[in-house]
Amino acid sequence: MRAPSPIFAACSLMVVLGAPAFAQSAATPPDTANDPIRALVSRLELEKYKGTIKGLTQFGDRRQGTKRNRDAVDWIEAQLKSYGCTNTERITYEYTPAQQAQRAPQPQDSAAAAARRAAAARNTQASGGGRLRGNRARTGVNTDSLAQPDPRLRALNAEPTTPGQRQEVFCTKVGTTKPNEMYIVGGHMDGHGWGEAANDDGSGTAIVMELARVFNSPDVQTERSIRFILWNNEETGLNGARAYVDQRQALQGKESPAGSKKYPEPKWLGMIQHDMMMFDHGMPRADGTVSPEQRPEADVNIEFQSNSKMSEASQKLAWALHSANSRYATDYPAQVGPHMTNTDSAPFQDIIAAISLRENERGREIGAGWDPHWHQPTDVFATFSDKDFRLGLNAAQTTLGGLAQLTGATRKK
Ligand SMILES: [Zn+2]
């Protein structure tokens, strides 16, 4: 790596000091001008990312166990194929929710809920570790159709979930020299709450799809394999990710058929999850409201779980992406934290290196009401500004840059 010239350093300092937040995007440090990975990262575009999220929202909240969810799986598969990721496959599993989840609210529930809220207010333990600090606002899942003011969306989300068979789709970029080693990149395509699940988790699903598009460009090759997977049933308890681990963990590294040089399940090197990528507007105010403007300190939160068997390897993977963020993300920095929780990387955390990327820490921040649209009718495309979408794009740049380094990505001459 060459050191930047003094002239450039002076200029870039002036740009940073004197210009509005996004002017930094235009300045490409000269020492990385010939970096082939930078060329790949530049294929991520804000309008394409937004377009993919918009495409997902045509299926409303994509709640698992409905036609709108199955239609979204079909649409995602068609998109992956159109990007050149043509070897799509599906995981099939059964999902039968517990009796309790299906039961209608009872009158005594409001008293019980109030007691739970009071207990929660006294408790400062955040999910995944860490402590709750400062102001908190209410969280929960909206189950009231009438809370959705748009009659079109209300109708689109009307079909209730029914127990039974579920599917989730993935495709794989096969490595050239080490096809039997693989990173898994995920987001969950199901949602709920009577909105469009635009942020939770259209924003993460679109990152995985956009990465599939870039890595499957005809001129791109990687030494190691990458699997792009769009989990189903995250919102019901990570059931889709658990089904994948149950069905495929034991298949890792096995050549099939023997002598074919084909590996249906390459050895897992790491799992990178993307879940809620766009909204970082800061702590709720004392009255429970949240700023309509993104906070200037917005960042990408990369989390591993310090209380897992693979915490050391996971932390290493987190720092690799942190470093890729410094190098490739155009607008927003990254931050590493030890409290990964409540998303599809959890079933992997005792098996392989596993991390999640998010808009905020899941336990300490999102769990304290930092995202007022979480599981609400307002989680729709129109709620989010370009600054919000750009935070998601920066997470895509972070993972793409990190993965390109980890898998040995190059452009064919
Ligand atoms: Zn989610």
Side-chain angles (χ1 to χ4, degrees):
M1 194 160 98
R2 284 186 286 123
S5 72
I7 291 170
F8 179 82
C11 290
S12 61
L13 187 65
M14 289 192 301
V15 168
V16 170
L17 291 177
F22 295 111
Q24 294 164 55
S25 333
T28 302
D31 63 325
T32 53
N34 293 318
D35 180 351
I37 294 175
R38 184 171 298 281
L40 300 188
V41 173
S42 72
R43 294 181 186 180
L44 294 168
E45 293 167 31
L46 185 66
E47 289 309 316
K48 281 206 170 86
Y49 177 59
K50 288 169 67 177
T52 305
I53 296 172
K54 186 79 189 159
L56 288 160
T57 63
Q58 70 184 294
F59 306 101
D61 66 6
R62 304 180 297 285
R63 189 172 184 192
Q64 55 78 35
T66 64
K67 182 174 184 295
R68 62 189 181 279
N69 173 276
R70 292 187 293 274
D71 288 349
V73 175
D74 291 344
W75 182 81
I76 291 166
E77 181 165 12
Q79 295 299 114
L80 293 173
K81 283 180 184 293
S82 78
Y83 301 153
C85 208
T86 52
N87 58 0
T88 56
E89 293 179 60
R90 292 190 183 199
I91 301 286
T92 301
Y93 58 96
E94 290 291 318
Y95 177 66
T96 309
Q99 228 38 38
Q100 203 180 353
Q102 292 288 65
R103 138 196 114 106
Q106 305 295 308
Q108 67 270 27
D109 280 3
S110 58
R116 269 198 306 277
R117 275 198 300 277
R122 290 189 299 272
N123 177 23
T124 59
Q125 291 301 306
S127 172
R131 284 173 56 193
L132 299 164
R133 313 264 191 183
N135 301 328
R136 290 191 237 169
R138 78 170 246 303
T139 59
V141 182
N142 172 60
T143 56
D144 176 10
S145 64
L146 297 178
Q148 175 49 258
D150 178 353
R152 182 201 60 88
L153 190 49
R154 214 185 298 149
L156 183 57
N157 287 333
E159 185 200 345
T161 177
T162 46
Q165 191 188 86
R166 303 284 185 269
Q167 290 194 327
E168 61 198 2
V169 66
F170 65 83
C171 68
T172 309
K173 170 80 176 175
V174 179
T176 50
T177 58
K178 292 170 180 158
N180 195 19
E181 296 180 6
M182 167 175 90
Y183 282 90
I184 302 170
V185 190
H188 70 87
M189 50 72 62
D190 69 307
H192 57 180
W194 291 91
E196 290 177 339
N199 189 35
D200 185 9
D201 183 28
S203 64
T205 299
I207 288 177
V208 177
M209 293 172 70
E210 283 292 280
L211 263 57
R213 178 178 66 77
V214 173
F215 276 112
N216 287 282
S217 310
D219 64 338
V220 175
Q221 58 186 16
T222 58
E223 292 176 12
R224 296 181 174 83
S225 298
I226 308 172
R227 178 155 292 169
F228 305 92
I229 185 157
L230 295 315
W231 311 112
N232 206 341
N233 278 93
E234 192 274 351
E235 299 291 4
T236 50
L238 323 181
N239 310 89
R242 293 187 204 284
Y244 181 91
V245 171
D246 288 349
Q247 293 182 22
R248 306 196 63 115
Q249 182 179 1
L251 305 178
Q252 283 180 82
K254 292 187 178 156
E255 189 183 43
S256 176
S260 68
K261 295 249 189 311
K262 289 202 161 93
Y263 304 92
E265 194 65 29
K267 186 175 178 307
W268 303 346
L269 299 180
M271 199 268 143
I272 305 171
Q273 170 75 357
H274 304 81
D275 193 355
M276 302 176 71
M277 309 310 299
M278 304 201 294
F279 194 88
D280 190 356
H281 293 212
M283 183 183 282
R285 304 168 179 126
D287 66 359
T289 60
V290 175
S291 167
E293 274 295 313
Q294 191 185 73
R295 62 174 173 159
E297 306 84 0
D299 57 11
V300 178
N301 287 74
I302 305 172
E303 295 190 82
F304 66 98
Q305 177 47 258
S306 56
N307 203 8
S308 69
K309 284 189 186 153
M310 297 302 288
S311 68
E312 266 185 55
S314 300
Q315 180 172 185
K316 203 173 160 201
L317 180 59
W319 286 116
L321 262 71
H322 185 274
S323 158
N325 169 277
S326 297
R327 195 171 170 95
Y328 299 113
T330 46
D331 310 282
Y332 298 97
Q335 182 181 161
V336 170
H339 302 141
M340 182 184 84
T341 187
N342 288 75
T343 194
D344 296 304
S345 41
F348 292 87
Q349 70 184 21
D350 292 328
I351 306 168
I352 52 164
I355 59 173
S356 70
L357 275 67
R358 291 185 181 273
E359 61 197 14
N360 278 311
E361 271 201 31
R362 166 61 180 81
R364 199 169 58 86
E365 297 174 342
I366 297 173
W370 286 38
D371 185 339
H373 309 297
W374 182 34
H375 299 158
Q376 296 302 309
T378 51
D379 186 0
V380 295
F381 187 87
T383 291
F384 301 96
S385 73
D386 272 5
K387 286 183 186 174
D388 299 323
F389 287 113
R390 200 176 286 279
L391 183 64
L393 184 77
N394 274 242
Q397 294 167 335
T398 300
T399 302
L400 198 157
L403 259 186
Q405 290 176 316
L406 292 164
T407 61
T410 50
R411 286 164 74 193
K412 292 178 203 162
K413 293 283 182 291

